[in-house]
Amino acid sequence: APARIAVTGLAVMGSNLARNLARHGYRVAVHNRSHARTKALIADHGHEGDFVPSETLEELVASLQTPRQIIIMVKAGGPTDAVIDELVPLLEPGDMVIDGGNAHYADTRRREAALKEAGLHFVGAGISGGEEGALNGPSIMPGGSEESYRHLGPVLEDIAAKVDGVPCCVHVGPDGAGHFVKMVHNGIEYADMQLIAEAYDLLHRVGGMSPAEVAEVFRGWNTGDLESYLVEITAEVLGHVDAETGAALVDVIADEAEQKGTGRWTVQEALELGVPVTGIAEAVFARSLSGRAGQRQAVRSAFGPAAVVGGADTSLVEDVRQALYASKVVAYAQGFDQMRAASAEYGWDLDLGAMATIWRGGCIIRARFLDRIREAYDKAPELASLLVDDYFRDAVQSAEEAWRRVVVKAVSAGVPAPGFVSALAYYDGLRSERLPASLIQGLRDFFGAHTYRRTDREGSFHTRWSGDRSQVDA
Ligand code: NBP
């Protein structure tokens, strides 16, 4: 019998996804550029389900029922284009090519348009959850046409993670929408991790707590509003002792954070869209700063290390918890704003509540809190900001005092907390009655005659700064 669906690219992600499909009873055609990987998959896991191995793409295509559904799981960028170019001449109108890699959404838009010309469906599907997720149930964010989702949706929903019986997979929207949402997911993940790291640093350096003690704090936090995968594994990592030295592993790991680029993409796209995603940007820059070893050494030598003034007071742990929660709300509010802006820009008609729903399981940012986000957008799809939803407004309001205390403490102690500080500035920025943007407009008009608008009447105006300083209509 022909295979139901195919996977090409059998490194960790592809082979785990193929196994997930097979375990759900699908007959899966499998292929990899170098056949050794295909053979290894069959040798190690062939007994788990119904696999149809192929040595070539021609064979793979021939082994499938029509319309064909082929998932590409290869290295993003050039390799994905190489596979598409080889595959397209072998396909027939109506066939579906699914890219499950971490593609940039602009590449997905380009590929979707090109394949449409050939009568093919191209589905850029964001897949989150790493190798574990691919095997046991990822969060899946497929873009592409409605028609492709009618065929693919049932299979993808079947293999996706489930929370309360609801699959973490939904048709996100046309063309690059799926990969865009996956990108923002990763950006939020950067912000979330940065905030967690700052919370640890404050408790450790200002509060004088050991990594093991902070691990306990996080374990406790994971039973409340902050309950999430990242908070859970923070307790694991902080509690882990290095077998070689007997020290906390976190004290042995080099403090230079690396990145693969999806956080940077999120910020670049936010700049294009004009959406302030300060939490994600600070997180990306904090990783960059940590990696500048030479510069850190030079500045540390010039100034000496910051003299941390702190000392535990009993309220620090609770204050930091509240600051973390409020800052996290801000980071998510910003990420959801960015999705809304892209949706308007590209005509995607994103259902923001559904995005929160499919992130509840299978992915790195899965958290209890996402239920609250879904409820907020279900109640008010056009919500101006997550911050104004009743639940989040109350949460942020009740955290505000603690949040300010933590920021003051961090700043005066000399412990960098760019995530907490910028989140608070964002909140204060949005709620200010007047912003000094008026002065910026005045300056722009002064040096560049860029004109300004007035608060008291319509129109554009210019002041003759170098002349008699009278105001003229512009
Ligand atoms: P890799 O990103 O390491 O890619 C290795 C695969 O790409 C192998 O199957 C390799 O074939 C194939 N490949 C390459 Br490289 N160049 C090729 C070409 N020109 N033509 C055909 N095949 C080519 O694999 P991965 O870590 O499993 O990730 C797969 C995708 O999933 C990536 O886009 C990744 O960003 C994404 N992703 C990964 C994770 C994760 O946690 N790892 C999570 C979410 C998404 P070969 O065996 O012949 O060299």
Side-chain angles (χ1 to χ4, degrees):
R4 171 74 171 80
I5 193 163
V7 179
T8 179
L10 301 175
V12 260
M13 289 296 287
S15 49
N16 279 357
L17 204 65
R19 290 170 62 197
N20 185 349
L21 286 160
R23 288 173 176 188
H24 279 84
Y26 297 103
R27 191 165 158 80
V28 195
V30 287
H31 166 267
N32 190 70
R33 175 178 62 176
S34 43
H35 191 55
R37 278 197 206 273
T38 313
K39 284 202 287 205
L41 172 66
I42 301 302
D44 297 341
H45 305 287
H47 61 277
E48 290 173 13
D50 196 0
F51 296 97
V52 184
S54 293
E55 266 193 69
T56 64
L57 277 179
E58 285 83 352
E59 265 181 65
L60 184 82
V61 167
S63 69
L64 281 167
Q65 69 175 50
T66 55
R68 300 177 184 84
Q69 299 169 9
I70 302 172
I71 302 177
I72 303 177
M73 272 317 255
V74 302
K75 203 176 178 64
T80 305
D81 280 318
V83 175
I84 293 172
D85 290 347
E86 205 183 327
L87 201 51
V88 164
L90 308 173
L91 299 177
E92 291 172 321
D95 287 350
M96 287 156 246
V97 177
I98 303 102
D99 174 18
N102 263 339
H104 191 284
Y105 81 100
D107 285 335
T108 303
R109 284 168 63 79
R110 167 177 62 78
R111 290 166 182 152
E112 201 265 349
L115 265 67
K116 199 184 248 170
E117 300 259 299
L120 302 172
H121 296 278
F122 184 77
V123 176
I127 300 186
S128 176
E131 43 183 304
E132 228 271 332
L135 183 61
N136 297 318
S139 171
I140 310 181
M141 294 150 255
S145 64
E146 294 271 0
E147 192 190 331
S148 65
Y149 197 78
R150 270 198 294 281
H151 290 275
L152 272 171
V155 181
L156 298 181
E157 289 176 16
D158 218 11
I159 64 163
K162 311 278 184 305
V163 176
D164 308 328
V166 180
C168 297
C169 173
V170 76
H171 182 223
V172 171
D175 61 74
H179 275 136
F180 190 94
V181 165
K182 170 64 177 9
M183 176 187 78
V184 174
H185 163 283
N186 285 28
I188 290 175
E189 176 186 312
Y190 273 59
D192 220 338
M193 287 167 67
Q194 175 65 24
L195 294 170
I196 285 172
E198 290 177 17
Y200 159 66
D201 207 21
L202 283 163
L203 295 177
H204 181 49
R205 289 210 274 164
V206 178
M209 299 171 77
S210 69
E213 286 167 337
V214 183
E216 277 315 307
V217 168
F218 272 85
R219 211 157 275 139
W221 287 352
N222 200 40
T223 60
D225 288 337
L226 280 169
E227 182 188 324
S228 60
Y229 174 67
L230 282 172
V231 166
E232 178 192 329
I233 66 171
T234 298
E236 295 295 318
V237 173
L238 288 177
H240 190 75
V241 174
D242 176 45
E244 244 171 86
T245 57
L249 181 67
V250 73
D251 286 339
V252 180
I253 297 177
D255 62 348
E256 295 173 27
E258 297 176 7
Q259 46 188 322
K260 280 194 178 165
T262 43
R264 184 176 62 234
W265 288 353
T266 314
V267 178
Q268 284 168 335
E269 293 312 313
L271 290 172
E272 292 299 323
L273 291 163
V275 182
V277 293
T278 53
I280 301 169
E282 289 294 355
V284 172
F285 285 137
R287 289 198 195 185
S288 307
L289 185 149
S290 77
R292 298 177 77 79
Q295 214 169 37
R296 286 173 60 187
Q297 176 59 46
V299 174
R300 199 160 60 236
S301 306
F303 293 92
V308 174
V309 285
D313 56 57
T314 45
S315 61
L316 184 68
V317 169
E318 177 55 16
D319 278 2
V320 170
R321 186 189 70 80
Q322 298 202 29
L324 177 56
Y325 194 62
S327 302
K328 185 171 157 141
V329 172
V330 166
Y332 280 69
Q334 295 178 343
F336 275 76
D337 265 0
Q338 182 170 359
M339 291 192 286
R340 160 156 313 182
S343 179
E345 174 76 18
Y346 300 114
W348 286 336
D349 197 21
L350 292 185
D351 174 349
L352 297 179
M355 298 310 110
T357 305
I358 63 176
W359 291 347
R360 292 186 309 160
C363 69
I364 307 300
I365 64 172
R366 60 185 184 259
R368 177 198 284 199
F369 159 90
L370 287 161
D371 278 326
R372 301 274 101 83
I373 298 185
R374 188 206 52 201
E375 284 160 15
Y377 283 111
D378 283 354
K379 260 189 293 172
E382 299 305 322
L383 204 58
S385 163
L386 260 190
L387 292 172
V388 305
D389 167 72
D390 290 350
Y391 169 82
F392 289 112
R393 189 203 53 215
D394 292 351
V396 167
Q397 239 162 20
S398 69
E400 184 176 329
E401 273 182 42
W403 194 9
R404 290 190 194 284
R405 276 196 299 272
V406 168
V407 165
V408 167
K409 201 161 260 181
V411 170
S412 55
V415 174
F420 286 173
V421 174
S422 77
L424 186 56
Y426 175 86
Y427 166 69
D428 284 333
L430 284 182
R431 68 199 283 257
S432 287
E433 180 79 31
R434 292 277 294 160
L435 288 171
S438 54
L439 174 58
I440 289 171
Q441 285 298 83
L443 295 171
R444 294 178 70 244
D445 191 58
F446 188 102
F447 65 68
H450 292 301
T451 77
Y452 51 84
R453 287 181 296 110
R454 296 180 55 98
T455 56
D456 52 2
R457 61 180 195 272
E458 292 294 306
S460 291
F461 304 94
H462 168 59
T463 297
R464 291 186 173 119
W465 295 102
S466 52
D468 63 1
R469 305 217 158 180
S470 61
Q471 180 179 275
V472 292
D473 289 333

